[in-house]
């Protein structure tokens, strides 16, 4: 099993749609979770951290399910500008500095 | 502006010709790291550094060297580049990850082609 696994997509959705991505992780000791956004050939940028109780930032909602070891990202009212690759990032356990990146899920929003 | 700057952004070289990719950050971050990104493989860590004079191997360190003589700089050295090191390279920095504040700031990337 991969350490961090994501569906590569692409997810093709119309403007205004709601879309959700999941990311599974294999290490139950992982403590920190993030979603990064990467535009084509550009550097990854932090979209949002994922907190245990779930958190929302505008149209974006992130959730953590420790029992099933996955995190999710929900995007409501998709915009053309949301088209990008979304990377799931997980730290590798308590007291470790290692971050593991998923290979990313590509989202394409069309008019 | 808080940023991570890496150079060169694009480089084409030949097998065996030593090269260095520089990385500099102006945020006083302790932690710096190099990644390579290849299609279908995602971001893989090459080397990282927790502070000055402290460096450790990541997942794919073979063929690379790093140094951390100053807090702000973390150059990546390819002593004898080979075609399998053709990739997109990112430098990143953050406060110490174990502090819980491990939000990485990435440089713009360096696209390296080794012929």
């Amino acid at each position: 099993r991969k350490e961090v696994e994501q569906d590569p997509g692409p997810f093709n959705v119309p403007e205004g749609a709601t879309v959700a991505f999941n990311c599974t992780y294999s290490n139950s000791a992982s403590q920190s979770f993030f979603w990064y956004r990467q535009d084509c050939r550009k550097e990854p940028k932090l979209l949002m951290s994922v907190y245990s109780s779930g958190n929302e930032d505008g149209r974006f909602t992130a959730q953590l399910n420790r029992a099933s070891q996955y995190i999710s990202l929900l995007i409501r009212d998709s915009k053309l500008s949301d088209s990008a690759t979304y990377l799931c990032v997980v730290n590798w356990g308590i007291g470790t500095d290692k971050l593991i990146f998923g290979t990313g899920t590509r989202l394409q929003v069309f008019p | 502006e808080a940023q991570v700057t890496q150079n060169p952004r694009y480089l084409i070289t030949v097998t065996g010709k030593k090269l260095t990719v520089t990385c500099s950050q102006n945020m006083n971050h302790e932690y710096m790291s190099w990644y390579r990104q290849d299609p279908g493989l995602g971001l893989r860590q090459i080397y990282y550094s927790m502070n000055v004079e402290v460096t450790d191997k990541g997942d794919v360190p073979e063929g690379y060297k790093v140094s951390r003589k100053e807090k702000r700089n973390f150059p990546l050295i390819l002593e004898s580049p080979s075609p399998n090191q053709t990739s997109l390279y990112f430098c990143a920095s953050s406060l110490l990850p174990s502090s819980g504040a491990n939000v990485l700031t990435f440089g713009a990337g360096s696209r390296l082609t080794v012929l």
Side-chain angles (χ1 to χ4, degrees):
Chain A
R1 182 180 174 184
K2 283 186 180 178
E3 294 165 319
V4 176
E5 201 152 3
Q6 297 182 251
D7 182 340
F11 285 60
N12 296 305
V13 302
E15 272 186 293
T18 296
V19 62
F21 314 133
N22 280 347
C23 165
T24 59
Y25 60 95
S26 62
N27 188 348
S28 59
S30 294
Q31 295 293 310
S32 303
F33 309 89
F34 309 89
W35 284 103
Y36 278 73
R37 171 194 168 125
Q38 186 175 24
D39 294 299
C40 189
R41 300 179 187 275
K42 298 275 186 74
E43 73 273 26
K45 293 183 179 178
L46 179 71
L47 177 66
M48 58 197 303
S49 302
V50 185
Y51 301 122
S52 297
S53 55
N55 48 300
E56 192 173 302
D57 183 2
R59 297 181 293 108
F60 299 85
T61 300
Q63 292 196 312
L64 167 64
N65 185 317
R66 285 193 187 275
S68 300
Q69 292 182 210
Y70 74 85
I71 65 173
S72 64
L73 178 67
L74 180 81
I75 305 176
R76 288 183 299 279
D77 189 23
S78 298
K79 311 290 185 192
L80 294 175
S81 57
D82 293 334
S83 297
T85 296
Y86 291 84
L87 306 176
C88 169
V89 184
V90 177
N91 93 309
W92 202 240
I94 298 170
T96 179
D97 301 297
K98 188 174 180 65
L99 293 174
I100 308 292
F101 285 77
T103 53
T105 297
R106 193 154 70 87
L107 172 66
Q108 185 67 48
V109 182
F110 58 89
Chain B
E1 180 189 353
Q3 60 186 1
V4 177
T5 303
Q6 49 182 114
N7 282 295
R9 294 287 317 282
Y10 302 91
L11 180 63
I12 299 174
T13 190
V14 295
T15 299
K17 187 176 181 182
K18 180 180 178 180
L19 69 92
T20 299
V21 187
T22 63
C23 174
S24 181
Q25 50 94 5
N26 62 0
M27 295 166 282
N28 202 35
H29 284 165
E30 297 93 350
Y31 182 87
M32 297 186 75
S33 183
W34 275 102
Y35 297 89
R36 61 178 287 174
Q37 188 173 35
D38 302 288
L41 296 177
L43 278 155
R44 293 181 292 167
Q45 190 176 49
I46 303 171
Y47 269 95
Y48 66 97
S49 169
M50 303 285 287
N51 214 325
V52 176
E53 303 292 2
V54 180
T55 62
D56 279 294
K57 294 178 180 179
D59 298 313
V60 288
E62 296 77 20
Y64 304 95
K65 286 173 60 176
V66 292
S67 68
R68 189 89 180 272
K69 294 186 171 63
E70 304 164 284
K71 197 171 187 179
R72 63 184 292 124
N73 294 324
F74 190 45
L76 179 70
I77 303 154
L78 285 74
E79 293 272 2
S80 183
S82 61
N84 65 11
Q85 291 179 298
T86 293
S87 188
L88 178 58
Y89 292 86
F90 289 104
C91 180
S93 74
S94 74
L95 297 171
L96 281 177
S98 50
S99 69
N102 48 336
V103 173
L104 288 168
T105 299
F106 284 85
S110 296
R111 185 165 292 280
L112 170 65
T113 301
V114 184
L115 302 174

